[in-house]
Amino acid sequence: MRARLFPALLALLVLTGCAAAPAVPPQQQYQATFLTLFDTVTTIVGYADTEEDFQAQAQQIHDDLLEYHQLFDIYNEYGDLSNLKTVNDHAGIAPVAVDQRIIALLLDCKAYHELTGGAVNVGMGSVLSLWHTARTEGRDAPDRAKLPNDEALHTAQEHSCFDAVVIDEEKSTVFLRDPQQRLDVGAVAKGWSVERVCRAAPEGLLVSVGGNVCATGPKPTGNDWVIGIQSPDDVSSYLHTLNIKDGCVVTSGDYQRYYVVDGKPYHHIIDPQSGYPAARWRAVTVVGSDSGLADCLSTALFILPQEEGQQLLDRTGAVALWVTHDGTILYSPGFEHLIRT
Ligand code: ADP
Ligand code: MG
């Protein structure tokens, strides 16, 4: 979606080792990797009788994800496709007729906005774009890295009201009434798309798009999937490995996309209240049954105090861990049942 690929974004690595070998392995395990989706690394692991069968399944998942990627892209155009860039380009001009999948995503974003008390607001694209530009320029030319203009940030905050986004389900149109408003669905698009493709995919697959991992059901071998939670300080080591039968694991962290100004790192998750990167946590991992909701929750919990985050978990049935700046790990009730190591 964005201009550059950062392979290091894979916050959760799939461990293929398993606790106990089945008596007769029914099928062989295969893996496919794609670098073409959502500006990150996609890995699909599954079991099939032949490599050909598996590759066909993996290709189908890739192709479905690619459609979501193009629909939700705010930076690139794809021929005649009306995507979120088209919606942004028509802010204050006219409603744009869009695919039903854009309508479905934005209706869920409305629910996420309400659920999180505004912490996850895909209507703050104008604020996020100032950070995106400053981060891209700062990474390209570290000597000249600078923060976005403070006044411009505050002006952009005034054009971030999600309620001003007009979603017409019947006509399948989206209109940004405010000419200065922009959408940016980066906080939820990967998880939401993974959820959609996993619902349609065969059982027994593991799909990982960046830090968004989703199992479409238990392994055919009967063993749990083993998912590693990357350490924020050392991408080659794990804070924990988790046993997951089905469901989703999503991580948001300050070590994924950031740039440095005057020796201080500035990352990509922005507190809508301040307009600046949220500074409370180093990383948050959420485990839940719906990958779109888990993606929303990981961003929200990264911004909110623990008690408010816990309230969101209580309301949604998800569990989480938070990593503090001194490396302490805090767990929500129930998380410990998932820990393997
Ligand atoms: P990642 O995309 O790296 O997995 P997140 O799911 O936490 O991490 O989403 C971060 C992305 O979401 C940012 O790159 C930005 O596009 C967008 N974003 C950042 N802060 C917010 C926010 N408060 N509300 C909505 N979107 C946000
Ligand atoms: Mg998220």
Side-chain angles (χ1 to χ4, degrees):
M1 280 179 112
R2 301 177 186 94
R4 287 246 212 104
L5 182 75
F6 297 106
L9 288 180
L10 190 63
L12 292 156
L13 299 183
V14 178
L15 302 183
T16 50
C18 44
V24 182
Q27 291 172 315
Q28 180 88 23
Q29 181 181 284
Y30 296 101
Q31 179 167 327
T33 301
F34 301 99
L35 302 177
T36 40
L37 301 166
F38 294 103
D39 189 25
T40 189
V41 182
T42 296
T43 308
I44 301 168
V45 182
Y47 291 78
D49 291 329
T50 67
E51 173 138 31
E52 236 180 6
D53 288 355
F54 171 76
Q55 290 302 343
Q57 286 179 358
Q59 190 62 45
Q60 184 61 52
I61 289 173
H62 167 274
D63 295 351
D64 292 347
L65 284 170
L66 185 63
E67 288 190 20
Y68 287 109
H69 164 103
Q70 294 184 346
L71 285 168
F72 303 156
D73 196 336
I74 59 170
Y75 299 103
N76 300 291
E77 294 167 10
Y78 302 92
D80 292 340
L81 183 74
S82 280
N83 63 5
L84 287 182
K85 178 177 190 306
T86 324
V87 172
N88 280 344
D89 290 347
H90 285 77
I93 300 170
V96 176
V98 292
D99 187 282
Q100 274 296 328
R101 287 168 286 186
I102 289 185
I103 301 290
L105 171 73
L106 292 180
L107 289 174
D108 280 350
C109 288
K110 191 171 156 61
Y112 297 153
H113 184 250
E114 282 162 19
L115 172 75
T116 63
V120 175
N121 177 10
V122 306
M124 58 186 269
S126 296
V127 172
L128 297 171
S129 138
L130 291 168
W131 281 105
H132 182 264
T133 303
R135 190 168 63 246
T136 308
E137 290 174 358
R139 290 185 78 125
D140 287 346
D143 297 350
R144 296 198 299 277
K146 56 182 192 317
L147 295 181
N149 178 282
D150 187 62
E151 209 182 307
L153 275 177
H154 289 302
T155 304
Q157 277 181 296
E158 287 162 18
H159 300 278
S160 299
C161 175
F162 189 81
D163 295 332
V165 179
V166 184
I167 306 164
D168 189 325
E169 265 187 275
E170 258 173 41
K171 292 193 185 131
S172 197
T173 59
V174 184
F175 181 38
L176 303 180
R177 258 191 308 235
D178 177 347
Q180 294 189 57
Q181 181 163 33
R182 298 291 180 270
L183 297 173
D184 177 333
V185 295
V188 296
K190 290 197 294 283
W192 196 89
S193 305
V194 166
E195 176 67 27
R196 285 290 177 117
V197 299
C198 282
R199 281 185 202 169
E203 270 207 357
L205 290 175
L206 193 73
V207 179
S208 166
V209 181
N212 296 252
V213 183
C214 191
T216 67
K219 284 184 187 181
T221 58
N223 294 319
D224 290 344
W225 296 102
V226 181
I227 314 284
I229 302 178
Q230 208 171 55
S231 161
D233 289 319
D234 175 5
V235 291
S236 61
S237 74
Y238 299 110
L239 295 178
H240 284 297
T241 59
L242 306 181
N243 282 320
I244 300 289
K245 264 194 186 23
D246 50 18
C248 312
V249 185
V250 180
T251 293
S252 289
D254 68 2
Y255 54 94
Q256 299 176 317
R257 286 175 211 250
Y258 67 93
Y259 74 123
V260 178
V261 181
D262 297 331
K264 192 173 170 229
Y266 291 85
H267 63 79
H268 70 319
I269 302 173
I270 306 301
D271 184 340
Q273 302 256 353
S274 65
Y276 282 79
R280 223 177 275 278
W281 310 103
R282 291 231 53 209
V284 174
T285 294
V286 172
V287 183
S289 57
D290 179 304
S291 163
L293 179 61
D295 199 0
C296 154
L297 289 173
S298 77
T299 306
L301 264 62
F302 189 89
I303 293 168
L304 296 170
Q306 189 186 4
E307 311 74 57
E308 287 177 41
Q310 184 60 53
Q311 282 169 15
L312 294 181
L313 297 174
D314 293 342
R315 286 173 66 184
T316 55
V319 294
L321 69 71
W322 295 260
V323 186
T324 68
H325 284 275
D326 70 8
T328 307
I329 306 177
L330 309 173
Y331 306 88
S332 76
F335 195 93
E336 66 278 7
H337 302 308
L338 301 170
I339 295 174
R340 178 175 183 252
T341 58

